[in-house]
Amino acid sequence: MFQGAARGDQHLPSGVVVASFETYEQAQAAIAKMSGAEGDLSGLAIVGNDLKLVERITGRLTWGKVALAGAMRGLGFGAFIGLVYILFLPEAIASVLLFPLLGLAFGILLGVVTHSVTRRKRDYASVQQVLAARYDVVAPQQSAGKAMHIIGQRETPVVPPQARPMAEQLPPPGSGARVDAPAGATASPSAPDDRPPAPPAA
C-alpha cells in the first residue's frame, strides 16, 4: 500500500490541501486523474491524518489450523529448495522429491512448537493494518488552483436568501404571490387612486 520513503526527507510536505478523501484508493484515483489530465505532478503528496493501528481478528487458532498452516509454509519452502537443487543437479530428479516432504514435516513441527509456547498469550489469528481517518492531497501553492479544478472537489458556496439581490427574491410578474416587506423597513404611503368612484347601486 505504501511506497518506501525518500531517504533524508523527514519533513511533512508543505502546500495547500486541494482535496480530502476517506480512503487511500480515492486519493490515488485523484492523483491518477491529475496524471490523465496532463497536470503537474511534481510536489503532490498524499498525507494520512490520524493514523491508527487496526488488528482484525480472523478466528481462533486450533492445533489443526496451526499444523495445516505450518505444513503449507514448509511445503512451499521445500519445493523452492528442490527447484534450486535440480538446477545444479538435473540428474537427481528422484531425490528432489524429498525436499518438499522434509519441508512439510519441518513446517508442521515448527508450527506446533511455536503455538505451544505462545498459545496462552495469543490463541487467535489476526491481520494488522495501518489506516488513517482522512487522506489529504497536498499540492504546491503555484499549482494548487489547477489541481483543485482537475480533481473537481471544489464546492459551490451556498448563498443565504438574505444575501441575494432583491431582484432575485421577488416573485415573477403575474404569479399573484405577495411580497412581504423586509424586517425593519417602513411601509411607504400608497399612491392615490386616480380611477373615478363606482356609481351607487340602484
Side-chain angles (χ1 to χ4, degrees):
M1 177 178 175
F2 300 105
Q3 305 296 326
R7 295 183 179 273
D9 189 3
Q10 301 296 328
H11 301 283
L12 289 175
S14 59
V16 180
V17 177
V18 297
S20 294
F21 303 93
E22 294 182 357
T23 63
Y24 180 74
E25 288 73 18
Q26 292 175 342
Q28 275 187 321
I31 300 298
K33 189 175 182 180
M34 285 279 297
S35 178
E38 301 297 332
D40 186 11
L41 301 183
S42 60
L44 289 180
I46 300 177
V47 180
N49 297 277
D50 300 332
L51 296 181
K52 298 181 184 298
L53 175 64
V54 180
E55 184 174 4
R56 304 183 189 276
I57 311 302
T58 58
R60 185 183 302 276
L61 283 179
T62 61
W63 292 107
K65 291 181 179 179
V66 170
L68 180 60
M72 292 297 102
R73 288 194 296 265
L75 184 62
F77 182 74
F80 174 75
I81 296 299
L83 290 176
V84 174
Y85 186 76
I86 201 175
L87 291 178
F88 294 96
L89 296 174
E91 66 278 3
I93 299 178
S95 60
V96 171
L97 299 177
L98 294 177
F99 289 100
L101 296 178
L102 290 176
L104 179 68
F106 182 76
I108 293 176
L109 179 62
L110 181 62
V112 170
V113 171
T114 303
H115 180 62
S116 64
V117 175
T118 61
R119 66 189 181 93
R120 293 184 178 181
K121 295 182 179 180
R122 184 185 180 90
D123 61 345
Y124 59 89
S126 63
V127 177
Q128 290 187 353
Q129 294 176 295
V130 177
L131 301 176
R134 187 182 74 256
Y135 296 90
D136 294 336
V137 177
V138 181
Q141 185 74 35
Q142 60 272 17
S143 61
K146 185 176 181 180
M148 288 182 182
H149 178 72
I150 294 176
I151 295 176
Q153 213 186 41
R154 179 179 295 175
E155 298 181 356
T156 304
V158 179
V159 181
Q162 293 80 3
R164 297 175 186 170
M166 193 62 187
E168 296 182 5
Q169 302 184 34
L170 295 177
S175 61
R178 189 183 64 180
V179 180
D180 296 331
T186 58
S188 59
S190 57
D193 192 357
D194 296 335
R195 292 177 300 177

